[in-house]
Amino acid sequence: MNQKELSELKRRLNPEKRNPSVICGCYVTGQGERLAEFAKPVYSLPQEENEKYMAIFKKVLSGSFGQNLLPVDFSAQQVMEGQEHALLSTLRESALSDEEAVEQIWQKVSECIQYEHAHEAQSLNEAQTAANYLILMLHDGYDVPYKDNNGEIDRERSTTVFHYILLAVCPVKQGKDALCYQTVDRDFHSRPADWIVGMPETGFLFPAFEERSANIYQALYYTKSNGDPHEAFMESLFGAEPLMPAVQQKETFQALLEETLEDECSIGVIQTVHDTVCSMIEERKADKNAQPLSITKNDVKTMLESCGVSAEKQTAFEEKYDQSFGSFAELPAVNMVTPSRFQVETASVSIKVDPAHSDLVQTRIIDGKCYIMVLADDNVRVNGVSVKIRE
């Protein structure tokens, strides 16, 4: 999926239009015990409730591809015979009306919640006081407008209906007692603590929406934290191998450069890799129809070669890359660099530089000592105070 396709689906969740057909929910404790279940036609919801539900489901379609939004691919065998794919297909095709399928998905997600909390808890007491969760599902049938070669929409020629489901797993936590203003008597009174539904920690879209139709070979998985893909959910809901978290991908890539290039890992090399990847990201962003940018091992090798890294070090990088990610792995570009930041650090000094001007930072060896040199223009400020630099 690309950003344009994602935005098209998010517009379906406009609370004013009430496009989705039904919302189902299951309220569970951190230990997986079910407290309540419901199914509501979207047209029957009060406006304020509908707005809050739609905000939750929009969040499942938000974030950065490769970090918060992760494509999950199904093999041909999974599509033909896999239990996980069969369950998701039944939920979609029945518009969440198949009670047995809904029961199965509640059970799967409840078990995942119980598993994660049991492993995260530092003590039995923490496990017992874990947050409750609201599991929400939505079904929608999108009559996809036809577009001609010029991008003009002709709704009368629409022939595709994109049926999909969204699932969101939201923490429910108890707020605090507070004083609240009561308009009736124009005074403040104590308000008891309420249980409040937060934004989702994880969720998914099935199937993916590609080229304005359904791709049943892929789901789009959402995780609030790019450092925690919730492995139990990935395995249980999709039968998929756990993905390396975005944060870990970046740390591993940085370690590869440092360990394999050794004495050739100069500031110039890192600048080249950073600037090249950032430029590629910006070029891809300009095309809303383009798929999210991924970088291959050969792409990085070309960057290293361009700044004079020896063939021996390039080979060492390739071998270590294969061991860490796999021979044919492609890394999301956003997990290799941080486009908005270029930072130089020593044990006692940290320098943040506008990435567009990273070339202002250089290194010099003077009298046998290493120095970081930063070109200073006429506007130098220290602790907010403009200072002058004299010869």
Side-chain angles (χ1 to χ4, degrees):
M1 289 184 65
N2 57 42
Q3 191 60 53
K4 191 172 184 178
E5 292 163 338
L6 197 66
S7 297
E8 187 172 351
L9 275 192
K10 289 177 74 173
R11 288 194 292 272
R12 292 286 300 172
L13 304 179
N14 184 336
E16 300 293 335
K17 297 182 178 179
R18 295 181 181 265
N19 290 315
S21 56
V22 64
I23 291 175
C24 297
C26 181
Y27 184 34
V28 300
T29 67
Q31 292 75 45
E33 177 188 355
R34 295 190 214 176
L35 302 176
E37 299 176 28
F38 62 84
K40 302 177 181 180
V42 172
Y43 71 81
S44 69
L45 293 173
Q47 182 63 20
E48 289 186 1
E49 286 186 21
N50 188 40
E51 289 175 358
K52 290 177 172 56
Y53 280 123
M54 293 304 109
I56 287 172
F57 287 113
K58 277 186 178 181
K59 194 66 177 178
V60 177
L61 300 177
S62 302
S64 300
F65 284 101
Q67 295 188 332
N68 310 100
L69 297 172
L70 310 173
V72 180
D73 295 318
F74 294 99
S75 66
Q77 184 175 359
Q78 281 181 300
V79 173
M80 294 294 294
E81 305 173 358
Q83 295 180 353
E84 296 85 5
H85 193 278
L87 174 59
L88 297 178
S89 297
T90 300
L91 290 167
R92 173 199 178 212
E93 293 163 6
S94 69
L96 305 182
S97 65
D98 188 307
E99 295 182 1
E100 183 178 348
V102 171
E103 167 67 23
Q104 287 184 45
I105 200 73
W106 293 158
Q107 185 65 31
K108 278 178 173 285
V109 178
S110 298
E111 289 174 354
C112 291
I113 290 172
Q114 183 180 12
Y115 174 84
E116 287 207 343
H117 275 275
H119 282 72
E120 290 175 0
Q122 299 297 315
S123 66
L124 177 61
N125 182 58
E126 288 185 11
Q128 292 174 339
T129 59
N132 295 340
Y133 281 83
L134 176 61
I135 313 164
L136 293 171
M137 277 196 301
L138 170 149
H139 170 269
D140 181 25
Y142 176 27
D143 192 3
V144 183
Y146 173 82
K147 283 189 178 182
D148 61 23
N149 294 333
N150 297 320
E152 297 294 328
I153 292 178
D154 185 350
R155 296 187 182 278
E156 294 183 359
R157 294 180 61 185
S158 175
T159 59
T160 301
V161 179
F162 175 59
H163 289 278
Y164 66 93
I165 58 172
L166 281 168
L167 183 142
V169 181
C170 306
V172 181
K173 297 183 179 181
Q174 192 170 27
K176 297 180 180 180
D177 294 341
L179 283 174
C180 291
Y181 181 71
Q182 301 293 330
T183 56
V184 176
D185 55 6
R186 297 183 180 182
D187 200 356
F188 287 85
H189 299 283
S190 176
R191 183 201 69 183
D194 294 325
W195 289 90
I196 301 172
V197 179
M199 286 291 109
E201 291 186 352
T202 186
F204 67 83
L205 162 73
F206 177 81
F209 183 56
E210 290 189 347
E211 297 182 0
R212 319 199 72 240
S213 62
N215 177 4
I216 63 170
Y217 289 86
Q218 190 176 89
L220 186 66
Y221 181 71
Y222 167 81
T223 177
K224 178 181 179 181
S225 169
N226 59 17
D228 182 9
H230 301 281
E231 295 180 358
F233 287 88
M234 294 284 291
E235 184 175 356
S236 179
L237 298 178
F238 310 116
E241 292 292 327
L243 299 176
M244 183 183 290
V247 171
Q248 187 178 343
Q249 284 187 7
K250 179 174 289 186
E251 291 174 348
T252 302
F253 177 72
Q254 292 170 340
L256 287 184
L257 292 174
E258 184 178 339
E259 293 170 8
T260 59
L261 303 190
E262 296 178 321
D263 59 329
E264 294 185 37
C265 190
S266 66
I267 191 170
V269 170
I270 302 304
Q271 283 175 323
T272 297
V273 173
H274 183 277
D275 293 348
T276 303
V277 176
C278 287
S279 295
M280 295 170 71
I281 291 174
E282 286 303 312
E283 289 176 8
R284 187 61 63 94
K285 273 185 180 179
D287 184 358
K288 298 297 183 182
N289 293 313
Q291 295 298 314
L293 178 65
S294 293
I295 303 293
T296 67
K297 173 181 62 179
N298 289 334
D299 291 330
V300 181
K301 182 181 177 183
T302 300
M303 298 176 204
L304 299 179
E305 186 176 8
S306 70
C307 48
V309 172
S310 66
E312 178 186 356
K313 300 300 184 185
Q314 292 179 42
T315 300
F317 172 82
E318 288 183 288
E319 293 175 350
K320 197 70 174 180
Y321 183 100
D322 292 347
Q323 296 172 16
S324 300
F325 299 113
S327 301
F328 303 102
E330 297 185 4
L331 300 183
V334 291
N335 295 346
M336 301 175 71
V337 301
T338 303
S340 60
R341 185 179 69 187
F342 189 86
Q343 187 165 338
V344 181
E345 295 177 289
T346 70
S348 55
V349 176
S350 177
I351 305 171
K352 294 182 180 179
V353 184
D354 183 343
H357 301 289
S358 65
D359 58 317
L360 298 179
V361 182
Q362 301 178 7
T363 57
R364 290 286 187 274
I365 297 179
I366 303 174
D367 296 332
K369 294 184 178 181
C370 299
Y371 289 87
I372 297 172
M373 313 286 287
V374 181
L375 179 63
D377 57 20
D378 294 333
N379 185 22
V380 179
R381 305 181 72 85
V382 178
N383 289 339
V385 179
S386 181
V387 300
K388 302 299 180 183
I389 300 176
R390 298 181 178 180
E391 294 185 3

